[in-house]
Amino acid sequence: MSATGARDRPGDRTGGDAALASAAMSDPGDPTAGTVYAAVGGQRFFDELVDHFYRGVRDDPVLRPMYVDDDLTEARRHLAGFLAQYWGGPPAYSAERGHPRLRMRHAPFPIDPAARDAWLAHMTEAVRAMAPPAEIERAMLEYFAMAADHLVNQA
């Protein structure tokens, strides 16, 4: 969802409304100019957001068993790449992994309402810890709630 409430398709995110776009203006030759990605400072923001998120997941009894990667390195890299691209960064995630296909990629994992709630709680904490501008925080939290709901695959 954009900050204005309209739904965006994954991969088409460019920052939403004019307030977000104007907050992110930089080099007009930069393809990320005017995006949330630019407004929050680029890839570093998403790497730190994901690091914060996975600190919570690391000790979560509901979520941690879903990860086969002992140190969560690949999970971190994939999530940071996806989020950076989704919020207007370079298309490196799709270049490496193809279309995000979030529901398909998460289908093997038992995602019930408890897992959804745990995931969303850790992501909400991570977003708030990063303290982005209010309109960006709101847009991110709306998107994460919608995505978490969409990925539930068990009652």
Side-chain angles (χ1 to χ4, degrees):
M1 303 257 288
S2 73
T4 60
R7 289 207 184 260
D8 296 316
R9 290 185 2 223
D12 290 346
R13 185 69 179 194
T14 59
D17 65 15
L20 293 177
S22 67
M25 292 310 282
S26 59
D27 177 4
D30 179 357
T32 67
T35 66
V36 168
Y37 178 86
V40 298
Q43 187 65 48
R44 182 175 179 181
F45 174 90
F46 294 99
D47 292 340
E48 291 176 8
L49 173 71
V50 167
D51 284 346
H52 190 95
F53 168 75
Y54 277 110
R55 279 194 294 275
V57 169
R58 182 183 58 226
D59 298 321
D60 189 289
V62 174
L63 299 177
R64 185 60 181 99
M66 293 185 203
Y67 294 87
V68 297
D69 187 6
D70 285 340
D71 64 2
L72 303 170
T73 300
E74 285 302 300
R76 288 173 194 264
R77 191 170 66 77
H78 292 157
L79 181 57
F82 168 75
L83 293 176
Q85 177 178 305
Y86 180 82
W87 294 97
Y93 177 89
S94 289
E96 177 186 340
R97 297 183 46 89
H99 188 281
R101 295 188 173 109
L102 294 180
R103 195 152 168 88
M104 179 198 77
R105 289 186 194 278
H106 291 82
F109 306 102
I111 303 171
D112 61 12
R116 174 232 181 256
D117 291 348
W119 188 93
L120 188 56
H122 293 301
M123 188 55 79
T124 298
E125 181 182 327
V127 169
R128 290 187 173 145
M130 295 299 296
E135 66 274 12
I136 292 174
E137 178 179 304
R138 185 173 46 255
M140 286 185 165
L141 294 178
E142 287 176 2
Y143 170 74
F144 290 133
M146 180 272 304
D149 287 342
H150 180 69
L151 294 176
V152 171
N153 59 20
Q154 296 192 2

